[in-house]
């Protein structure tokens, strides 16, 4: 009798162990939420373009890094972003503004990246460059204020910053953007995406309805193509500076819903 009971007991323990292991694996597979956010700025900007969003995320207990892109090539910017991702302990939500959307589309293939947030950003397809993407939509007023220099870099004119890039910011903030803008190598805008992370990672998109740099209709088209969770703000191109509370809230929502292993 004892032998039979012991066999039954062993079988019961084995079944319990299998069930427990299965439940743990399922729980891990269904886990949601990340606490690490990497922010990637765009052209004619630097990491300080996230200065209003960062404290809002940190106040909620998030670990935040704002990348300082060299803006010398797509490869250089992707490398800078990957270094920031690898500094984080655990899964990462990757957020890109404008040109930063191109960067996160490539850098987002990193194993630590659990989701992507595009803020008035470009999201090229594989084999497509930033320039090829924006040329699929009607030109915007800001395009006329892009000025090349003798070294192969492009900048925004003060008129462009004031009227097309950040027209809804206070004058003092627009002056600061003029003084701190980061010129970009024009050749970077022609570099093509090799693997689009949005094809395999969940995406969120902030459409800037009053954008005079990237066509808002193209932003809406991209959001649909990415099957992204989307909000639309009545904002200039720099939505994270014009409406930081709403952008931060959207990032927090994405961070809470993204699935991790």
């Amino acid at each position: 009798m004892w032998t039979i009971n012991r066999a039954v007991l062993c079988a019961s323990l084995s079944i319990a162990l299998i069930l427990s292991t299965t439940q743990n694996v399922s729980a891990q597979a269904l886990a949601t939420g990340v606490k690490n956010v990497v922010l990637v700025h765009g052209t004619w900007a630097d990491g300080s373009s996230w200065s209003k969003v960062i404290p809002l995320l940190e106040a909620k207990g998030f670990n935040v890094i704002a990348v300082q892109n060299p803006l010398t090539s797509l490869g250089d910017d992707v490398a800078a972003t990957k270094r920031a991702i690898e500094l984080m302990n655990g899964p990462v939500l990757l957020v890109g503004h404008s040109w930063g959307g191109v960067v996160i589309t490539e850098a987002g293939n990193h194993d630590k990246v659990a989701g992507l947030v595009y803020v008035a950003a470009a999201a090229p397809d594989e084999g497509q460059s930033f320039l090829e993407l924006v040329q699929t939509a009607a030109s915007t007023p800001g395009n006329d204020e892009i000025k090349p220099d003798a070294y192969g870099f492009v900048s925004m004119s003060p008129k462009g910053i004031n009227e097309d890039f950040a027209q809804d910011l206070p004058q003092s903030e627009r002056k600061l953007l003029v003084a701190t803008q980061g010129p970009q190598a024009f050749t970077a805008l022609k570099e093509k995406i090799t693997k689009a992370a949005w094809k395999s990672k969940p995406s969120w998109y902030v459409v800037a309805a009053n954008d005079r740099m990237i066509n808002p209709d193209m932003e809406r088209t991209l959001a649909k193509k990415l099957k992204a969770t989307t909000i639309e703000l009545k904002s200039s191109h720099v939505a994270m500076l014009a409406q930081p509370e709403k952008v931060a809230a959207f990032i927090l929502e994405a961070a809470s819903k993204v699935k991790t292993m």
Side-chain angles (χ1 to χ4, degrees):
M1 182 65 68
W2 165 248
T3 304
I4 294 174
N5 286 344
R6 185 170 63 178
V8 171
L9 179 61
C10 289
S12 298
L13 289 173
S14 296
I15 292 171
L17 181 61
I18 292 170
L19 288 174
S20 176
T21 302
T22 302
Q23 289 171 351
N24 287 338
V25 171
S26 297
Q28 290 174 1
L30 294 174
T32 58
V34 300
K35 299 298 288 185
N36 301 309
V37 178
V38 172
L39 305 167
V40 184
H41 68 80
T43 307
W44 311 307
D46 62 12
S48 68
S49 61
W50 297 104
S51 60
K52 295 181 181 180
V53 169
I54 292 170
L56 297 175
L57 298 180
E58 291 182 336
K60 296 296 184 179
F62 281 74
N63 305 310
V64 184
I65 293 178
V67 178
Q68 296 289 356
N69 285 326
L71 300 176
T72 46
S73 72
L74 175 58
D76 289 345
D77 290 356
V78 168
T81 300
K82 285 183 176 179
R83 289 195 296 272
I85 292 168
E86 290 170 9
L87 288 174
M88 290 298 197
N89 182 21
V92 169
L93 184 68
L94 195 55
V95 185
H97 170 248
S98 190
W99 159 259
V102 183
V103 179
I104 71 169
T105 295
E106 191 71 53
N109 294 296
H110 194 289
D111 290 343
K112 278 190 174 183
V113 176
L116 309 166
V117 180
Y118 292 84
V119 181
D125 208 332
E126 290 163 2
Q128 187 179 45
S129 69
F130 175 88
L131 281 182
E132 289 170 336
L133 174 62
V134 297
Q135 287 169 1
T136 63
S139 181
T140 54
N143 186 65
D144 295 333
E145 296 303 319
I146 299 172
K147 307 299 181 183
D149 63 21
Y151 304 98
F153 285 74
V154 288
S155 301
M156 278 293 290
S157 71
K159 180 177 182 292
I161 294 285
N162 279 282
E163 297 180 6
D164 304 312
F165 190 75
Q167 68 271 20
D168 52 357
L169 295 187
Q171 185 178 18
S172 59
E173 293 184 26
R174 282 180 274 149
K175 283 185 175 181
L176 190 60
L177 288 174
V178 172
T180 61
Q181 68 168 299
Q184 179 160 31
F186 183 72
T187 53
L189 303 175
K190 297 187 285 186
E191 292 183 61
K192 300 178 187 293
I193 292 295
T194 58
K195 183 180 180 182
W198 52 260
K199 291 189 174 182
S200 60
K201 307 286 176 82
S203 299
W204 286 258
Y205 201 106
V206 178
V207 173
N210 299 329
D211 201 329
R212 292 169 63 86
M213 296 302 304
I214 294 179
N215 191 312
D217 285 335
M218 191 187 79
E219 294 178 17
R220 297 181 186 105
T221 299
L222 286 173
K224 290 179 181 178
K225 182 176 182 178
L226 273 56
K227 298 179 181 177
T229 301
T230 306
I231 61 167
E232 184 161 326
L233 303 178
K234 292 182 179 179
S235 165
S236 66
H237 185 56
V238 287
M240 67 285 188
L241 288 171
Q243 298 190 36
E245 293 85 2
K246 292 181 179 179
V247 172
F250 191 63
I251 293 171
L252 290 170
E253 178 185 349
S256 70
K257 291 183 177 180
V258 68
K259 293 182 179 179
T260 61
M261 292 299 293

